Amino acid sequence: MSDRCNFSRWLALEGLRATPVRLAVLEILGEAPRALRAQEILELIRARRRVNKVTVYRILEDFTRRGMVRKLSLEGRVNHFELACEHHPPHPHFQCQTCREVQCLEPVALNRIWTELQGPVGNRADHIDIKVEGVCHKCRDIS
Amino acid sequence: MSDRCNFSRWLALEGLRATPVRLAVLEILGEAPRALRAQEILELIRARRRVNKVTVYRILEDFTRRGMVRKLSLEGRVNHFELACEHHPPHPHFQCQTCREVQCLEPVALNRIWTELQGPVGNRADHIDIKVEGVCHKCRDIS
DNA sequence: TTATACTTGCAACTCAGTTGATTTTCGATT
DNA sequence: AATCGAAAATCAACTGAGTTGCAAGTATAA
Ligand SMILES: [Mn+2]
Ligand SMILES: [Mn+2]
Ligand SMILES: [Zn+2]
Ligand SMILES: [Zn+2]
């Protein structure tokens, strides 16, 4: 996924130095087949280099503010992160109620329900998050 | 909202005693015009009686497991709760990115996109959560 | 009344995430 | 090459929503 992104160039465009930790965060998110928790990202970086958790949290927060990364609040207390590059448009997510694993679903057209979701007159809707909950195929096989 | 619910009877149907704290949780959620955080519920109960936070958290967890209450993961670390009685069918929510306030939106028909959201073959989708983010009318007026 | 299960309270804990201060690194300037 | 200032990383300590285990209280059943 998104192997086509030039992360060094992307950071330069944002006015950020292409430090090893920043590049590691982007590469790990770019290779991930699903949204990752901060702790998973931390452990994956630590497989290649020594790093403090605060650094990773601050980078993820900064990337989120800049819109380079999407922060997903799928369940309380633990956030998931995914790349928000041009190759990863927003899309719905599936979370299994048994194993808590998260899947990325294909983008859906929301044109028809978008206007219904604007809410009371005067609100400005910027984007829609869709989360589907259920039981994944792996957990269904077990039971 | 849902003044028509007989909470004592509902608890009896669930095989639960109609204790003062349980009734207070249901009454507060029934009167709330929006989803509430656990801490807000706690403070509203404390306006009428002494209560320990653990009791409220345990009641909310129990109600959620039984499907009497919906737990919303709108943003990391803080859950919101709302009544899931017959008068409150599931519906989308709006959260303002400025003041973080949550609004309940009208239910929308999802028939059309439901099948698209089933995901990879084999998953069983049970329900869909829709969260709209943006800026509420109050915060728009200010800026 | 006594036994039992249910409910609440208390204190201590967990853990993802945050804060502030300090040190290190890097790129520019001399 | 040495110096300097800003950006980046580190460290320890903290925050706070939610949890756990156990003791104490309360209602129901026998
Ligand atoms: Mn995704
Ligand atoms: Mn609602
Ligand atoms: Zn699963
Ligand atoms: Zn607002």
Side-chain angles (χ1 to χ4, degrees), chain A residues 91-125:
Chain A
H91 50 263
H93 292 91
F94 177 91
Q95 186 167 33
C96 175
Q97 286 163 331
T98 302
C99 66
R100 313 308 302 168
E101 196 170 293
V102 175
Q103 294 173 20
C104 297
L105 303 180
E106 291 302 311
V108 290
L110 296 173
N111 309 350
R112 191 169 301 183
I113 63 170
W114 176 263
T115 49
E116 301 182 47
L117 291 174
Q118 297 291 84
V121 181
N123 282 354
R124 187 192 74 209

Side-chain angles (χ1 to χ4, degrees), chain A residues 16-81:
Chain A
L16 296 172
R17 288 184 203 157
T19 68
V21 190
R22 283 201 185 108
L23 284 171
V25 168
L26 293 176
E27 284 160 12
I28 283 164
L29 288 177
E31 288 165 11
R34 58 178 177 84
L36 300 177
R37 286 167 287 165
Q39 195 139 328
E40 294 178 300
I41 296 167
L42 183 64
E43 281 160 18
L44 287 166
I45 298 177
R46 283 183 170 156
R48 36 170 120 162
R49 58 171 10 257
R50 185 174 168 286
V51 70
N52 188 281
K53 69 169 179 174
V54 178
T55 306
V56 174
Y57 277 113
R58 286 212 253 245
I59 286 174
L60 286 170
E61 183 200 355
D62 185 44
F63 285 177
T64 302
R65 258 206 347 271
R66 295 167 181 274
M68 301 169 70
V69 153
R70 278 185 293 269
K71 186 203 283 192
L72 313 176
S73 295
L74 297 167
E75 56 180 334
R77 310 220 343 276
V78 191
N79 293 312
H80 287 71
F81 297 88

Side-chain angles (χ1 to χ4, degrees), chain B residues 68-83:
Chain B
M68 301 169 70
V69 153
R70 277 185 293 269
K71 186 203 285 190
L72 313 176
S73 294
L74 297 167
E75 57 181 332
R77 317 239 311 293
V78 192
N79 293 311
H80 288 71
F81 297 87
E82 66 182 5
L83 223 50

